């Protein structure tokens, strides 16, 4: 046997007629006005919150930019310190070499000075 035809849902009931008294209409109107006032207040608060959020996002972006700049400055400062350390080390090496050369020159000149003094002393003795 063929399957039974699909059954459609029953149609919705016809709308009931609603009758309100004058006092209940005023009460509903009062509630609707209160609801509208609350919605306006909520919308105003939402607007303020959006402004605060925008300001907070702008502050966050500024803070991130400042952090990046400070990080770049820190890197540059570290590079400058490292370079200064290298120059100071090289200056110390140069100073040590210069002192060694000076000592060597003095050592070479000391016997000559002594020779000159001896010659002067000999000349004075001869006179």
């Amino acid at each position: 046997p063929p399957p039974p035809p699909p059954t459609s849902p029953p149609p919705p009931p016809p709308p009931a007629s609603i009758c309100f008294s004058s006092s209940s209409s005023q009460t509903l109107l009062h509630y609707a006005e209160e609801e509208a006032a609350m919605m306006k207040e909520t919308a105003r608060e939402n607007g303020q919150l959006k402004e605060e959020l925008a300001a907070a996002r702008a502050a966050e972006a500024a803070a991130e930019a400042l952090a990046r700049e400070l990080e770049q400055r820190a890197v540059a400062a570290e590079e400058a310190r490292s370079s200064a350390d290298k120059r100071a080390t090289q200056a110390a090496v140069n100073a040590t070499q210069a002192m060694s050369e000076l000592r060597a020159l003095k050592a070479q000149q000391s016997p000559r000075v002594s020779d000159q003094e001896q010659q002067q002393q000999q000349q004075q003795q001869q006179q």
Side-chain angles (χ1 to χ4, degrees):
T7 57
S8 60
S17 60
I18 303 173
C19 288
F20 293 108
S21 67
S22 177
S23 64
S24 57
S25 292
Q26 288 177 349
T27 302
L28 288 175
L29 180 61
H30 175 72
Y31 287 140
E33 289 171 347
E34 284 182 350
E35 185 67 25
M38 288 192 305
M39 290 175 75
K40 284 181 183 178
E41 179 63 19
T42 300
R44 186 187 63 76
E45 290 172 356
N46 284 344
Q48 287 177 339
L49 290 174
K50 285 180 182 179
E51 290 174 6
E52 290 174 12
L53 179 61
R57 285 182 177 160
E60 178 186 25
E64 287 175 353
L66 179 60
R68 281 191 299 274
E69 181 180 343
L70 290 175
E71 186 175 338
Q72 290 172 351
R73 286 184 185 182
V75 168
E78 178 58 27
E79 289 172 354
R81 185 201 59 77
S82 176
S83 177
D85 283 350
K86 288 177 185 175
R87 287 193 309 270
T89 300
Q90 186 60 48
V93 168
N94 292 347
T96 301
Q97 288 175 345
M99 291 300 292
S100 295
E101 291 173 10
L102 182 60
R103 284 189 198 109
L105 285 174
K106 282 185 178 182
Q108 288 175 359
Q109 289 178 353
S110 287
R112 288 183 189 159
V113 170
S114 297
D115 289 343
Q116 287 176 357
E117 287 177 0
Q118 286 176 357
Q119 288 175 0
Q120 287 175 356
Q121 287 175 358
Q122 288 175 357
Q123 287 174 0
Q124 287 175 355
Q125 288 174 359
Q126 289 174 357
Q127 294 174 352

